[in-house]
Amino acid sequence: MRAFLRRLDDAAARGEEIFLAAALGLLTVLVVAAVVFRYALHDPLTWSEEFIVLLFGWAIMIGTAYAFHQRNHIVIDVILLFAPRWLRIVLGTLSTIATFVVLAVLVWFGWQYTMREFPNLTPMLGISAAWSILPLTIGCALSMLHVLRRLLDDGPQSALWVEMISRKTDE
Amino acid sequence: MITTLLVVFAVLLVIGTPIAIAMAGSAILLIWVDGIPLTVVAQRVVAGVQSFPLLAIPLFILAGSLMNESGISERLFGFTRALVGHIRGGLAHTAIVGNVFLAGISGSSVADTAATTRVFVPQLQNAGYPKAFGAAVSATAGTLGPIIPPSILMVVYAWQANISLGALFVAGVLPGLVMAASMMTAIAILARVHGFRPDGEFSLANVWLQFKRALWALMMPVLILVGFRMGLFTATEIAGVAAAYALIVGFLIYRSLSLRDLPRILVQTARETAVILFIVAAATPFSWILGIEQAPQLVVEFVSSISTNPWVVLLILNVALLLAGMVMETLAIMIILVPILLPLLTSLDIDLVHFGIILLVNLVLGQLTPPVGVLLFVVMAMTGLKLTALIKELWPLLIAVLLALLFITYVPGLSLWLPRVLGF
């Protein structure tokens, strides 16, 4: 079970990396292309802004999941830094539970919202508006997977954050 | 209800929940208790990330990382060393002036401090400066990053306050230079006290040589400001053009980037962006509750009961922001406080561009003050220094930035003159 979870988590993280690199690359190209089309070719890309915002939304939520995998989310760690090990375990357990609950709520109600918007179409692309809401559910679900794996592998005291020294030098 | 919201938020933060989760979590709890359907939260969070203007954030981060990876910090520091190295304490001055230029390329204080620490702490140590002094100078110099354009925090603030990002960018130039001048004054005094030596001789030929080496990097801030001035592009498009420029410089001109580096840089940029924008998104239901609970009006009433003089109010805000900056994370303060403060500022006719600069200087100062000071953590992590040793060398520089803050607060023209002259 644990091995399966690890494999699943690794695969998800790998997929996220590929998606993020491709999405950000494409976003940059599209933004620059919009300028070129408007000024050099006098033919503005009317659909581009809507698509860009949609893709950006996906990149943010997939990036959020990836940041949980990398344990990069910003945590106020003054107390954690000076707390003894037992207290870090207690606080870590509480904050991991809280994070799990919040992510679960976002997954569930994000999904309901997605379903509600399903019949509506976007103005320019004419696709379902659900496409721009779905990343909330997917991103938070992937985040839960990553938190769970960290919890199993590293314990509650470092499921959400890594020790200060190693985290800050990562910049 | 506001009290409950803030208490739950504070508790979640203290136990080590990520800031974004703590914001969304406290909002969810209150909305649930109130019996409002929780799809509202999902709606707010999604609305919070669907923004074309905020796309400028990853594009500016990308431009900065590409430039950074192609080794421009070394070129910029080479140029500034040729400029100011010959002054007494020259190497420390080089770090400050180098950061003025570095800030013109990157928009983040953390990235700038890390780059400066990596280059300067060993150099300063070899030249006989105490290690903690080098670390203190690097941390202080990094505060210029968000003040001198481009700036990630400015993108967020301009979006929140609904003001022109171009005007805000230009407004940051002179205050940034004032901060740098103030830091250099402190270093000059310290150099006399400690008897620091100059670093090399001044030669015009060397300045020219180093200028040519750094030219492409120096052109980037010019490109950004000209882009805004011409009004041809939106802010997001300028950021995109800056990223494309950095790509061309890194791959074709300096040839120090390889195609293999690109995916890693893109993933890292996307991750950094997500960390910022997940907070922005998660804060929207939080701010929504503060809004319907009339928190902004309460703040207006409370502050007006003390004083309605803009100068006094600015002093109060400065003190409050400095205190907040000591214990809270920069972006979180901005996300929570700006919507609450806007009605107060408008009612007192305080210019939103000017306030934006005051806010940012306060926030970067907060990054430099214990106990929660991200720049201190960066240099401590990179040098292995203890906080007490660092503070001993840091306090004169902190005072210098604080004096610059007072100057920037009470001379609005410093922020507003340049945007006016340039026609923003």
Side-chain angles (χ1 to χ4, degrees), chain B residues 106-125:
Chain B
S106 111
S108 137
S109 51
V110 171
D112 291 0
T113 295
T116 313
T117 309
R118 201 174 301 122
V119 176
F120 274 96
V121 172
Q123 280 194 19
L124 282 160
Q125 237 182 324

Side-chain angles (χ1 to χ4, degrees), chain A residues 9-50:
Chain A
D9 183 75
D10 285 339
R14 187 79 196 113
E16 284 158 17
E17 283 178 358
I18 294 168
F19 176 82
L20 290 174
L24 188 56
L26 187 57
L27 282 169
T28 313
V29 170
L30 283 174
V31 167
V32 176
V35 176
V36 173
F37 272 81
R38 195 167 67 231
Y39 287 113
L41 308 174
H42 302 287
D43 178 20
L45 296 172
T46 45
W47 53 270
S48 70
E49 183 162 327
E50 195 180 287

Side-chain angles (χ1 to χ4, degrees), chain B residues 32 34 149 175 209 281 350:
Chain B
W32 181 63
D34 249 24
L209 180 80
I350 295 172

Side-chain angles (χ1 to χ4, degrees), chain A residues 124-166:
Chain A
M124 299 305 302
L125 294 171
I127 56 168
S128 167
W131 281 107
S132 58
I133 302 156
L134 191 61
L136 179 66
T137 305
I138 307 271
C140 290
L142 287 168
S143 300
M144 290 176 80
L145 172 68
H146 293 317
V147 175
L148 189 62
R149 191 260 171 94
R150 289 296 183 195
L151 183 65
L152 290 177
D153 271 12
D154 304 286
Q157 76 279 14
S158 45
L160 295 170
W161 63 80
V162 277
E163 294 300 325
M164 184 194 91
I165 299 298
S166 46

Side-chain angles (χ1 to χ4, degrees), chain B residues 268-293:
Chain B
Q268 194 182 317
T269 303
R271 193 194 67 199
E272 282 173 31
T273 307
V275 168
I276 297 172
L277 287 178
F278 188 45
I279 295 179
V280 172
T284 34
F286 189 89
S287 299
W288 181 70
I289 295 183
L290 287 178
I292 53 174
E293 289 297 317

Side-chain angles (χ1 to χ4, degrees), chain A residues 17 21 24 28 32 35 38-39 52 56 60 63-64 66 72 74-75 78-79 91 95 99 102 109 113 116 132 161, chain B residues 14-19 25 38 43 50-51 55 59 232-233 237 240 266-267 269 271 274 277-278 329 371-372:
Chain A
E17 283 178 358
L24 188 56
T28 313
V32 176
V35 176
R38 195 167 67 231
Y39 287 113
I52 286 171
F56 187 36
I60 293 169
T64 295
Y66 186 65
N72 271 122
I74 301 171
V75 167
V78 228
I79 290 160
L91 296 180
S95 55
T99 303
V102 171
F109 289 95
Y113 182 34
R116 210 179 69 199
S132 58
W161 63 80
Chain B
V14 165
I15 63 171
T17 319
I19 292 175
L38 280 173
Q43 247 167 358
Q50 287 187 338
S51 152
L55 180 59
L59 297 175
L232 293 175
F233 314 126
E237 288 169 352
L266 285 170
V267 170
T269 303
R271 193 194 67 199
L277 287 178
F278 188 45
E329 198 272 333
V372 181

